[in-house]
Amino acid sequence: MLVALFDNLEIVEPTLLVVISLPLLVAAGLAFDDTRRAASLLAPWMALPAVLLSVVVSPGHSEMLDWLVLGTLLSYDEIGRLFLFFTGWIWLLAGLFANYSLDEKERNAFWAFYLLALSGNLGVALARDLPGFLFFFSLMGFASYGLVLHRRDKAAIRAARVYIVLLVVGEGLLYAAAVLAAINADSFEAAAIADAVARSPQSELIVVLFFAGFATKAGIFPLHISLPPAYDAAPASAGAVLSGAMSKAGVLGWMLFLPVGLDVSPVMGPDTVSDTMSSAISNAGLLFLLAGLFSVYYGVVVGLAQRTPKALLAYSSISQIGYMALLIGVGLQSGQMWEAALVATAVYALHHGLNKGALFLSVRICEDGVSGRWPRRLLLGGLLLPSLALAGAPLTTGAVAKNALKKSLDVDMLTVGAWFETLIVVGSVGTALLLARFIFLVWPAPPEERARVTDTPHQNPPRGLWIPWGLSLVSIIVVPWVFPWDEMQTLTADVLSWSKIWGEVWPLLVATLLVIVTVRAFRRYMWGQVVRIPPGDLLLPLGWLTLFLLHSTGRVLDWVQREADLIQERTIHFVTRPTGLASKSREFEAWLTSFHVGITLVVVLAAALIALAAVWP
């Protein structure tokens, strides 16, 4: 039946559309009593078709859907395959995890928003034109609002409000960028939009708008403020997809619609843009380089001051997304380096998605605590593996991603100095410190102590949670070696050399030493009781500034009102005086309106008009 439907729509390759539309069909089934139970059972598995497609089918399919939005181009290329794989995999694990971690009464509401956001996220991975991409991006963003609001407690309501405000602001910025970019574009396809941005006289403005619009979802400073409260308030399964999958949609938007890979060198050639445009694109690349580098360190510093594990993971994501913004800046500044930077960006997105999804799922397992020596050791190993991978430990996905990052950087071709590469390497130490802090926060107390504090008998996490969590850990180890992408295999084999292993070990040794010193200092001087930054960091000073402005505006309005009342009072007093101007005005008005004066004026006016008509040539 579905095949016949697609044949009627004249779609040659219906697989891509099926992957996107199946979650929507199941979400529609939740609205009816007869199909709600079946839809609820199918919901956790709706990302599986995307995973199977990305593993089994070779890239090379594309389809133009003229009837969808303004005409939507779906393309299954190498980058789309990679993004589709880790996006679908994280959503699949999160769905299976949510099926056992949420109460029965909460699941249907969760599944509705889950499926809508899933469809949007898969659409973003495959869309290769501007209207289609923004449509799926908006669907994903607005549906994820329900995931943030799911618990409906005070923290969730506050986080959801901030999230939806930044989401609307981001959508407005993207709409403005889309309009400016599409004015001179030959089509809405991503390549045509990127070329139009490069050749537009407003290229700097368009790049800044795209940067800010996608940064609200990716989490680049200072547009990150909605993400830490949202990740902290959402359930662990929702946090896994928000951080592991949806944040990469903004990165993919930068990759598709910005003029990355163009030659902006002073020596012009047939495929280059003008000198003015080259300067504009280079300046835009510098924006990405500096904003990305600042986010790398900002996420670490503020993350270390967090008191909850999910908020800390949010700042870790801000730091890691900073590396991907760096790579976009490399592509904007040097077309020769973009081929390597493109591979590095995709590998980094895969690496961060897999590991961050595993860590968010770990938070829920650790909440209940685990009894038994071997289960606790297994849990500790499960926490260490993705933490070490994010820190760039040898033979992990982090080592592969850092190797790709270093290969794509040639500071001699950028507008930054050699210090830039040094700061990137030092960032690995900060990541290791941040993840050490995470393990300290999330590690559960012994069951006996927890039972004594809470006065409730200890219960291990449901067994169904261990399966998706274990699969997430297995994928961290296996995927870099078996994923069918030649560039990935080359980078993975390259990290086996001893020189690369030592380059990945010494930042961990430095971080270990710093952890020991820091722990001793915190215990002695009680810094841990003093240093505290709430999730959303800038929200607090922004709130104070808003209150100050409102208070100041209120005082100004009160002063204006008092002055207006005084002026009105003085005017009334002046007008109502017997000898004032008002009495003279009333006398003059009475004289003008008297009968004989009116007749005289009319006769004079008529005579003047007749005389004028007589002498007019």
Side-chain angles (χ1 to χ4, degrees):
M1 183 176 181
L2 286 176
V3 175
L5 174 62
F6 286 124
D7 288 340
N8 292 332
L9 294 175
E10 297 181 355
I11 298 177
V12 178
E13 180 56 53
T15 309
L16 303 181
L17 187 61
V18 169
V19 166
I20 299 171
S21 59
L22 276 179
L24 297 178
L25 295 176
V26 176
L30 293 171
F32 303 98
D33 294 335
D34 296 337
T35 58
R36 184 172 295 122
R37 179 172 176 78
S40 180
L41 293 175
L42 289 173
W45 300 94
M46 282 300 98
L48 182 60
V51 177
L52 294 177
L53 173 67
S54 61
V55 173
V56 175
V57 180
S58 300
H61 302 293
S62 62
E63 185 59 40
M64 186 67 190
L65 310 178
D66 295 325
W67 52 272
L68 184 61
V69 194
L70 297 177
T72 299
L73 175 64
L74 300 179
S75 180
Y76 181 61
D77 49 18
E78 289 284 2
I79 300 301
R81 182 185 198 180
L82 185 71
F83 273 80
L84 186 67
F85 168 74
F86 76 78
T87 297
W89 181 248
I90 296 169
W91 278 95
L92 176 62
L93 297 179
L96 297 176
F97 196 89
N99 199 38
Y100 289 95
S101 62
L102 299 177
D103 294 337
E104 188 70 30
K105 296 180 181 180
E106 299 176 342
R107 290 181 188 174
N108 287 335
F110 180 86
W111 291 136
F113 293 107
Y114 169 92
L115 292 169
L116 292 175
L118 169 61
S119 178
N121 205 172
L122 297 177
V124 165
L126 296 174
R128 291 299 179 269
D129 68 294
L130 188 57
F133 189 93
L134 294 183
F135 170 77
F136 290 118
F137 190 84
S138 299
L139 174 62
M140 176 191 70
F142 286 105
S144 59
Y145 167 77
L147 300 179
V148 176
L149 188 62
H150 177 73
R151 298 192 185 280
R152 294 179 176 85
D153 54 14
K154 186 177 180 180
I157 293 173
R158 178 178 177 272
R161 286 174 179 172
V162 177
Y163 184 83
I164 196 67
V165 168
L166 264 293
L167 179 65
V168 172
V169 170
E171 293 292 335
L173 295 174
L174 289 177
Y175 175 77
V179 171
L180 292 175
I183 290 176
N184 298 319
D186 297 333
S187 69
F188 290 136
E189 294 184 14
I193 294 294
D195 184 70
V197 172
R199 302 181 186 281
S200 171
Q202 298 174 309
S203 57
E204 283 185 319
L205 174 61
I206 299 174
V207 171
V208 170
L209 291 173
F210 271 129
F211 168 78
F214 287 125
T216 58
K217 179 63 66 179
I220 295 295
F221 179 90
L223 297 169
H224 68 286
I225 55 177
S226 67
L227 301 185
Y231 293 3
D232 193 29
S237 52
V241 294
L242 283 167
S243 176
M246 284 193 255
S247 63
K248 311 307 179 300
V251 177
L252 184 58
W254 289 333
M255 296 168 64
L256 292 176
F257 302 111
L258 293 182
V260 289
L262 296 179
D263 187 1
V264 295
S265 59
V267 180
M268 305 304 296
D271 296 328
T272 60
V273 293
S274 65
D275 290 331
T276 304
M277 303 307 169
S278 298
S279 177
I281 296 171
S282 180
N283 292 336
L286 184 61
L287 168 67
F288 275 86
L289 289 171
L290 297 180
L293 184 63
F294 186 84
S295 295
V296 167
Y297 284 90
Y298 186 85
V300 170
V301 172
V302 181
L304 288 172
Q306 299 303 304
R307 298 295 182 89
T308 59
K310 288 191 289 186
L312 185 146
L313 290 179
Y315 283 99
S316 172
S317 293
I318 293 169
S319 178
Q320 295 296 306
I321 294 293
Y323 287 109
M324 301 178 214
L326 287 173
L327 293 166
I328 301 298
V330 170
L332 289 171
Q333 288 216 329
S334 174
Q336 300 176 21
M337 297 167 61
W338 173 239
E339 184 177 354
L342 172 64
V343 174
T345 306
V347 172
Y348 224 107
L350 171 71
H351 147 71
H352 179 259
L354 295 179
N355 289 280
K356 196 52 65 70
L359 289 175
F360 266 98
L361 300 184
S362 302
V363 174
R364 174 63 182 85
I365 292 181
C366 293
E367 284 179 353
D368 295 332
V370 179
S371 60
R373 177 180 299 178
W374 282 107
R376 288 176 64 83
R377 289 180 178 178
L378 178 63
L379 180 59
L380 178 60
L383 290 173
L384 286 175
L385 176 60
S387 299
L388 290 173
L390 283 175
L395 308 180
T396 64
T397 57
V400 179
K402 292 295 175 64
N403 182 35
L405 176 64
K406 293 176 183 178
K407 282 190 170 184
S408 64
L409 284 179
D410 185 355
V411 294
D412 294 334
M413 301 181 66
L414 303 176
T415 57
V416 293
W419 54 268
F420 194 80
E421 188 173 3
T422 303
L423 289 178
I424 292 176
V425 175
V426 176
S428 300
V429 178
T431 302
L433 290 174
L434 195 60
L435 272 301
R437 169 70 173 164
F438 167 76
I439 294 176
F440 172 79
L441 289 175
V442 79
W443 184 244
E448 298 79 10
E449 180 180 344
R450 182 182 293 270
R452 183 173 64 253
V453 173
T454 59
D455 294 328
T456 56
H458 169 72
Q459 292 182 351
N460 283 328
R463 294 182 178 180
L465 301 182
W466 293 91
I467 297 176
W469 180 69
L471 289 174
S472 68
L473 299 178
V474 171
S475 65
I476 294 173
I477 303 172
V478 173
V479 167
W481 300 95
V482 301
F483 190 79
W485 190 28
D486 294 339
E487 285 78 1
M488 173 79 77
Q489 302 300 321
T490 302
L491 290 169
T492 303
D494 194 30
V495 300
L496 296 177
S497 63
W498 285 108
S499 60
K500 294 292 178 60
I501 291 176
W502 169 244
E504 296 149 5
V505 167
W506 74 260
L508 296 178
L509 297 178
V510 174
T512 303
L513 179 61
L514 290 176
V515 167
I516 296 173
V517 173
T518 304
V519 169
R520 288 181 175 271
F522 268 52
R523 287 180 177 177
R524 182 172 182 178
Y525 299 105
M526 302 298 291
W527 291 350
Q529 304 300 323
V530 178
V531 181
R532 181 179 184 182
I533 300 177
D537 53 276
L538 295 182
L539 287 175
L540 188 60
L542 285 176
W544 289 342
L545 178 61
T546 302
L547 292 176
F548 173 76
L549 292 176
L550 290 175
H551 179 69
S552 301
T553 304
R555 296 183 63 179
V556 171
L557 291 177
D558 290 340
W559 178 82
V560 172
Q561 184 63 43
R562 288 196 302 269
E563 292 297 320
D565 293 341
L566 183 60
I567 293 173
Q568 182 179 7
E569 181 181 350
R570 291 176 176 176
T571 303
I572 293 174
H573 177 70
F574 176 78
V575 170
T576 56
R577 285 187 306 171
T579 59
L581 180 63
S583 60
K584 301 296 183 182
S585 300
R586 285 194 293 269
E587 293 177 2
F588 182 69
E589 182 182 3
W591 179 78
L592 287 177
T593 56
S594 60
F595 179 78
H596 64 280
V597 175
I599 289 297
T600 302
L601 292 176
V602 170
V603 172
V604 172
L605 179 61
L609 291 175
I610 292 172
L612 182 63
V615 300
W616 193 264

